[in-house]
Amino acid sequence: MKIIIAGAGEVGFHLAKLLSFESQDITLIDIDKESLNYADTHLDIKVFKGDATSVSVLKEAKVSSCDLVIGVTASETTNITLCLLAKQLGCKRTIARISNTEFIDNKDEIKFYNMGIDELISPEELASEEIQLLLDQSAFNDSYEFENGALIMVGTSLQRTAPFIGKSVKEAARVFPELNFVPIAVQRFGTQYTLIPRGDTVFKEGDQVYFVTAKEGVGELYKLTGKTKEAIRNVMILGGSKIGFKTARDLCSSKFRVKLIEKDKSKAFDLADELPNALIINGDGRNVELLEEEDISSMDAFISVTGNSETNIMSCLVAKSKNIKKTIALVENMDYFQLSHSIGIDTLINKKLLAANNIFRHIRKGEVVALTRLNNLNAEMLEFIVKPSSEVNGKIIKDLDFPRSAIIGGVIRDGQGIIALGDFRIQAGDRVVVCCLPSAIKRVEKLFF
């Protein structure tokens, strides 16, 4: 695919990096020479210095023959204008990053696609949704919902008390025949090696394991992973950023009791006006005495979303030392993901990764309706819609020429989540959730194309 990315900031660079690994034809446009030079020397892409809303710049970048234009500059006005121009100049699809979530809330009414914008994404909105989902599945350190929870992906590290430690997947299935979930990816403790489990794969203590389950299987997973579901009602948020504000607002509407700490006095007063159901505290959240004064030990969850990754990590470690059940830290550095489980923070979230996941489904072949990359794992979860022309249509799963480095996690049929095993027959209209390693993506796409 020929793709133009406008904005060489964190999201744009990260997207360009991921897409260049897949040998896509990428052109990166930005007005900042230094950012472009860094991208040019580190990635196999074309870079173009100029204003992304300039018609002459877009023509020179050959936007008319472009499959996708992605606007991820810091200015939503620039991103929206770029997409309008690109579509008029002949680009097939456009995606704009925005910060005003009202646009997403009212997109059906305003009909942005009629203007030339096919998709709106807000990294802040995505991060807020991720936080709420993690609070709902409090004992797990990663989660993702397909089709409003018809199928749910959850990730957890296996404790010594988990009853299937030392058993293979086949043995566990025989011992627990009623189980309503399937393991889809495993990362061994202390390694960066991702493996797609097969029947002879043995579960070991400390493994980070990802499961796909239907709603009724979540309770079973709690029991069998040695976890307990904790009721979360009291939440402390550090940082009145866009993510902090949106998370606090949404949690308050869901009847959570929220305390939000903001260092900037005028911002704290503004937040107090906009969030009447939350307790806004003006203070430095890095101050342990302040946290203790605000009764941090009585909190069920602590969420740190300041603009500083190190502050977020350190404050979550302080919260964990006070026996907080759930800690979530926003980080910008992707390398920190490798540390999350070893240093004791439950979950790290990253806006770049969330935005990239959301955009990636527009690049995949086949009818991909959802995609997520597993935190710190070299694996992707994709949700395909089976077309009448798809190779998998009408086939039984065990008869498919499915690569060993991929696995079908489940099927959604008529809105119902099904844990589909070898004898299940796939049909047109099914939504099939697949987990695969990068080496298998092309073969899997071909089966659903």
Side-chain angles (χ1 to χ4, degrees), residues 192-423:
Q192 298 301 310
Y193 179 64
T194 304
L195 93 118
I196 302 297
R198 294 291 161 191
D200 57 355
T201 303
V202 176
F203 295 107
K204 296 180 180 178
E205 182 184 349
D207 282 352
Q208 173 71 13
V209 185
Y210 287 83
F211 299 91
V212 167
T213 179
K215 276 182 180 172
E216 56 271 23
V218 174
E220 295 171 353
L221 270 175
Y222 275 116
K223 293 176 201 165
L224 288 163
T225 54
K227 308 281 184 182
T228 53
K229 180 162 186 177
E230 306 279 5
I232 291 183
R233 299 274 19 121
N234 300 310
V235 179
M236 183 176 281
I237 300 171
L238 178 59
S241 60
K242 286 176 184 171
I243 297 174
F245 167 73
K246 180 156 181 31
T247 301
R249 188 189 67 189
D250 294 347
L251 290 178
C252 285
S253 66
S254 301
K255 309 301 180 193
F256 285 82
R257 289 186 286 274
V258 177
K259 288 183 179 181
L260 189 151
I261 301 174
E262 170 54 46
K263 191 177 178 182
D264 183 87
K265 191 173 184 178
S266 62
K267 195 172 185 180
F269 275 107
D270 290 341
L271 288 167
D273 290 336
E274 294 181 71
L275 298 168
N277 296 321
L279 175 62
I280 310 300
I281 299 149
N282 175 221
D284 189 344
R286 294 171 298 183
N287 186 331
V288 177
E289 285 183 13
L290 173 69
L291 296 177
E292 288 176 344
E293 278 175 26
E294 296 304 330
D295 204 12
I296 187 173
S297 57
S298 70
M299 295 292 119
D300 300 314
F302 184 89
I303 302 162
S304 192
V305 287
T306 73
N308 186 290
S309 301
E310 289 75 19
T311 295
N312 296 338
I313 289 172
M314 293 308 296
S315 57
C316 279
L317 290 175
V318 170
K320 207 65 186 173
S321 73
K322 306 294 180 185
N323 297 317
I324 303 293
K325 298 168 191 169
K326 186 81 173 177
T327 53
I328 301 171
L330 176 73
V331 297
E332 293 302 325
N333 191 332
M334 298 293 290
D335 296 332
Y336 286 151
F337 273 103
Q338 298 175 12
L339 302 173
S340 61
H341 306 310
S342 60
I343 62 179
I345 296 172
D346 294 311
T347 308
L348 300 179
I349 58 171
N350 179 279
K351 289 190 296 183
K352 292 180 287 187
L353 190 60
L354 293 169
N357 286 349
N358 198 272
I359 290 169
F360 247 76
R361 63 191 172 93
H362 299 280
I363 290 126
R364 292 274 167 251
K365 295 186 179 74
E367 194 74 24
V368 178
V369 289
L371 180 149
T372 184
R373 280 175 172 249
L374 305 183
N375 281 353
N376 197 29
L377 267 73
N378 190 25
E380 284 185 18
M381 292 284 298
L382 302 104
E383 181 187 349
F384 291 95
I385 294 178
V386 178
K387 297 185 285 192
S389 59
S390 298
E391 196 177 318
V392 297
N393 183 25
K395 300 273 182 69
I396 292 172
I397 288 176
K398 66 183 179 186
D399 295 337
L400 291 172
D401 181 23
F402 220 70
R404 282 191 63 82
S405 49
I407 186 170
I408 291 176
V411 174
I412 300 166
R413 180 176 290 172
D414 301 324
Q416 190 74 30
I418 303 162
I419 301 303
L421 303 177
D423 295 325

